[in-house]
Amino acid sequence: MTTDTNGQSAEPSVGITDSERAELERLRAEVARLRDAAGTGPATKTPDPTRRNRWRWFAVAVLCILVAVLAITSVTSRFVRGEILDTDRYVSTVAPLASDPAVQAEISNTITDEIFSRIDVEGLTAAALTTLTDAVPATENAPRVDRAVEGLAPVLAGQARGFVQQTVSSFVAGDQFESLWLQANRAAHTALVAVVTGDVGPSSVTVDDSGTVSISLGTVIDNVKARLLDRGFTFAEKIPAVDKQFVLFRSPELVRAQRAVSALDTAADVLPWLTIALAFAAVAVAPRGRRLRALSLAGLSLVLAMLVLAIALLIGRALYLDAMPPDILAPDAAAATIDTVLDPLRLALRAVAVLGLVVAVGAYLLGGSASATAVRRGFGHGLDSVQRIRRSRPPNAFEESLFRARIALRSAIIGIAALLLVFWSYPTGLVVLLIAVFGLLALLILELVIRPAKDWAAKDRNEESDPPDQETPGAATPAVETV
């Protein structure tokens, strides 16, 4: 073979027809034209992949921020809807308050103050003592009785108050009060639902323009009155019909929330799906080969969003306690009330945070980074070790059938876990963690069962093709991330 002046190989003239020579010259001219175009051609440059990927990652970042914002809105809206429009949910939330010592003390003081504001025990006692002294005539050797009992009215009134306080406290600490508390809160919540939806409800709740929500203690006071009469406190007969309102909470923001309940009811159903859709969009716009990394970023955005929401709750709680006047609700009772009411929201944000963490870790382990590849390789070696302990053998029919259906089975396990999370009414962080753990255990059991069939299939392929650089069974492929 010879070389021409252009540095290209020149075919020998022997054995080449004229048509072949013409075709060869045409191909050489085409190659020269393409080389010139690549070197000096004007506006035919291919797009810069680095710049294009930069814009894709910018879109991923924007979508992840939207995912975080919508996650906060979704969790908050579902909490508000559950507490305002779901009576059973609300009653289960406030039920622990009936056994809280601070709340019990506040209710006891409220009922006692209400009773003594309705009856003048000191005045009645003084009148009774006056009647007694008038009934006993004065003699020369005995002074009037009023001199002996002078000043007893305030003492007797104080003792009466202590007696009433002790009676009320014992009643509030009993099981009957817990039942009445649930009844009162159920009636109050029914009325609150009527208020925020515009329907007419019972009068057991008061929601004023300042956002103060109160429930009726009339049933509790009636029971206390009956107990006082049973214990011989006849002054209780003068207690009129009382419908004392106990303040649950007060927030001017409640008025605004009432106006947005209808929108929240719809948003609570739409926002979670919109959040999921944006997360998938972030994965879709990511550069090819980096989509698992985008999925991991979407999961981390959920975790960061829930962290921001938790911090916001701490700040809001502090502001609420500072704004609550002590004469309306004692600080201890206010703290117990707000902590109990916000407990479902805390559980919800923990659940979403755990879900985001599971997604982020799972996407990372499936990615193409060196550390993730090492983890997968170690997992494969571990399965190989288990297989060696079980001794190499041909797979049975059951193992072969599971191996052939492995993709469908893996998809079914992941799908069942996802459905449990979607249709679980109020999943907590522990529920999400348990679902993830049981899903991983199911996948691990499947891998252990199909391992003999998988190794046997790999051995058959090796025997048929015998490539020089065939990877050992169980070793993880370095570049898994191709989606």
Side-chain angles (χ1 to χ4, degrees), residues 101 354 358:
V354 172
V358 169

Side-chain angles (χ1 to χ4, degrees), residues 244-327:
K244 176 64 177 176
Q245 299 295 315
F246 178 74
V247 176
L248 281 179
F249 58 89
R250 184 173 70 176
S251 174
E253 299 299 325
L254 178 62
V255 179
R256 300 179 185 176
Q258 292 171 358
R259 299 167 186 166
V261 162
S262 179
L264 279 176
D265 190 21
T266 304
D269 292 327
V270 175
L271 287 176
W273 296 108
L274 184 58
T275 304
I276 295 174
L278 289 178
F280 278 110
V283 175
V285 302
R288 183 173 177 81
R290 295 294 183 266
R291 289 172 181 166
L292 284 175
R293 181 176 299 178
L295 180 60
S296 181
L297 291 176
L300 290 177
S301 66
L302 291 178
V303 177
L304 293 177
M306 295 304 101
L307 178 62
V308 171
L309 181 57
I311 295 174
L313 287 182
L314 292 176
I315 297 174
R317 178 184 181 276
L319 294 176
Y320 167 80
L321 294 178
D322 290 340
M324 176 60 67
D327 57 338

Side-chain angles (χ1 to χ4, degrees), residues 136-147:
V136 179
T139 61
E140 182 178 355
N141 297 327
R144 288 182 56 85
V145 179
D146 56 350
R147 295 178 182 175

Side-chain angles (χ1 to χ4, degrees), residues 115 118-120 124 225 229 233-241:
I115 289 176
R118 299 287 177 169
I119 56 175
D120 185 7
L124 293 174
K225 177 180 178 180
L229 291 175
F233 190 72
T234 57
F235 286 159
E237 295 178 352
K238 298 184 178 296
I239 300 176

Side-chain angles (χ1 to χ4, degrees), residues 112 116 155-169 228 231 233:
T112 302
F116 277 84
V155 176
L156 294 176
Q159 292 179 347
R161 184 178 181 87
F163 177 79
V164 172
Q165 179 78 39
Q166 188 272 333
T167 303
V168 173
S169 298
L228 290 174
R231 297 184 65 180
F233 190 72

Side-chain angles (χ1 to χ4, degrees), residues 91-424:
V91 171
S92 64
T93 299
V94 300
L97 289 176
S99 57
D100 188 273
V103 176
Q104 288 179 348
E106 182 69 14
I107 292 177
S108 299
N109 294 333
T110 301
I111 294 176
T112 302
D113 293 340
E114 185 64 22
I115 289 176
F116 277 84
S117 68
R118 299 287 177 169
I119 56 175
D120 185 7
V121 176
E122 184 174 349
L124 293 174
T125 303
L129 292 176
T130 301
T131 303
L132 178 63
T133 55
D134 291 340
V136 179
T139 61
E140 182 178 355
N141 297 327
R144 288 182 56 85
V145 179
D146 56 350
R147 295 178 182 175
V149 299
E150 183 179 359
L152 284 181
V155 176
L156 294 176
Q159 292 179 347
R161 184 178 181 87
F163 177 79
V164 172
Q165 179 78 39
Q166 188 272 333
T167 303
V168 173
S169 298
S170 63
F171 174 77
V172 169
D175 296 335
Q176 188 178 0
F177 171 74
E178 293 188 12
S179 177
L180 292 174
W181 174 262
L182 296 180
Q183 294 176 12
N185 275 277
R186 184 172 294 276
H189 191 270
T190 302
L192 181 61
V193 171
V195 169
V196 297
T197 57
D199 298 331
V200 178
S203 60
S204 58
V205 69
T206 299
V207 184
D208 58 23
D209 293 336
S210 66
T212 301
V213 179
S214 306
I215 64 171
S216 174
L217 295 179
T219 305
V220 177
I221 294 177
D222 291 341
N223 282 268
V224 171
K225 177 180 178 180
R227 179 168 293 194
L228 290 174
L229 291 175
D230 292 341
R231 297 184 65 180
F233 190 72
T234 57
F235 286 159
E237 295 178 352
K238 298 184 178 296
I239 300 176
V242 180
D243 190 17
K244 176 64 177 176
Q245 299 295 315
F246 178 74
V247 176
L248 281 179
F249 58 89
R250 184 173 70 176
S251 174
E253 299 299 325
L254 178 62
V255 179
R256 300 179 185 176
Q258 292 171 358
R259 299 167 186 166
V261 162
S262 179
L264 279 176
D265 190 21
T266 304
D269 292 327
V270 175
L271 287 176
W273 296 108
L274 184 58
T275 304
I276 295 174
L278 289 178
F280 278 110
V283 175
V285 302
R288 183 173 177 81
R290 295 294 183 266
R291 289 172 181 166
L292 284 175
R293 181 176 299 178
L295 180 60
S296 181
L297 291 176
L300 290 177
S301 66
L302 291 178
V303 177
L304 293 177
M306 295 304 101
L307 178 62
V308 171
L309 181 57
I311 295 174
L313 287 182
L314 292 176
I315 297 174
R317 178 184 181 276
L319 294 176
Y320 167 80
L321 294 178
D322 290 340
M324 176 60 67
D327 57 338
I328 298 296
L329 196 60
D332 292 341
T337 302
I338 192 63
D339 289 339
T340 302
V341 171
L342 292 180
D343 189 59
L345 182 55
R346 293 192 181 98
L347 293 178
L349 69 88
R350 291 168 189 166
V352 175
V354 172
L355 176 61
L357 188 61
V358 169
V359 171
V361 173
Y364 161 74
L365 292 178
L366 293 175
S369 64
S371 57
T373 303
V375 171
R376 291 197 304 271
R377 185 179 293 112
F379 178 74
H381 290 331
L383 291 180
D384 289 340
S385 300
V386 174
Q387 180 61 22
R388 285 194 295 270
I389 295 175
R390 296 168 60 184
R391 296 180 182 179
S392 178
R393 58 171 177 79
N396 54 40
F398 177 71
E399 293 169 343
E400 288 183 346
S401 62
L402 290 183
F403 176 70
R404 288 192 296 268
R406 63 190 182 280
I407 297 178
L409 291 174
R410 291 167 181 165
S411 302
I413 292 172
I414 297 174
I416 291 173
L419 288 176
L420 286 175
L421 290 176
V422 170
F423 291 102
W424 200 291

